[in-house]
Amino acid sequence: MDVLTLVLLFLIIVMGMTVPNMQFISLIGGIIMATYIFGAREDHRPPAPAGGIKVRPIVVQRRYVGPDSIYPQEMKMRVNPAWDSRPWFEQASAAAGQFAGFVANTGKPSRPKD
């Protein structure tokens, strides 16, 4: 058992008894201290055998035959920056909103262009 843990729990119990209207803290601290004292025990398992535990490796008899990687060395990706998958009415309302923001900002763009 750890002595510092017991001291901390004892101080919690004392604090609960001395501070007015905080007796429930001493009750909770006492319950925790009792469970700690009766629950924290040394491990009394029998020691391992003299030879120790034997671990046998798994030996695989066959080799992997196949490509080193399923991914190609070089990948090409084509990106169209003007591509937009939204429906036409959402694109139109976005354009109207950008125009309204442009007018509200008196000609200054509302956000930097990418």
Side-chain angles (χ1 to χ4, degrees):
M1 289 191 293
D2 188 17
V3 177
L4 292 177
T5 304
L6 289 174
V7 170
L8 176 70
L9 289 172
F10 181 74
L11 289 176
I12 289 174
I13 293 171
V14 170
M15 183 181 72
M17 289 181 186
T18 56
V19 176
N21 297 328
M22 293 296 240
Q23 288 80 18
F24 66 93
I25 290 180
S26 62
L27 177 66
I28 293 171
I31 292 171
I32 293 173
M33 183 182 243
T35 55
Y36 180 74
I37 289 173
F38 290 113
R41 298 277 185 243
E42 301 263 335
D43 192 14
H44 295 293
R45 283 187 282 175
I53 299 172
K54 293 183 179 178
V55 178
R56 296 182 181 158
I58 298 172
V59 179
V60 179
Q61 298 292 333
R62 56 189 175 156
R63 286 183 36 201
Y64 172 73
V65 178
D68 293 335
S69 175
I70 61 171
Y71 302 106
Q73 291 292 90
E74 293 182 18
M75 295 182 75
K76 294 181 181 178
M77 184 180 291
R78 296 181 186 169
V79 178
N80 184 1
W83 180 70
D84 194 356
S85 63
R86 295 180 297 174
W88 65 269
F89 55 89
E90 287 186 7
Q91 291 180 19
S93 63
Q98 287 176 354
F99 179 73
F102 181 78
V103 170
N105 288 329
T106 62
K108 295 181 284 189
S110 58
R111 64 178 175 87
K113 298 292 180 187
D114 294 274

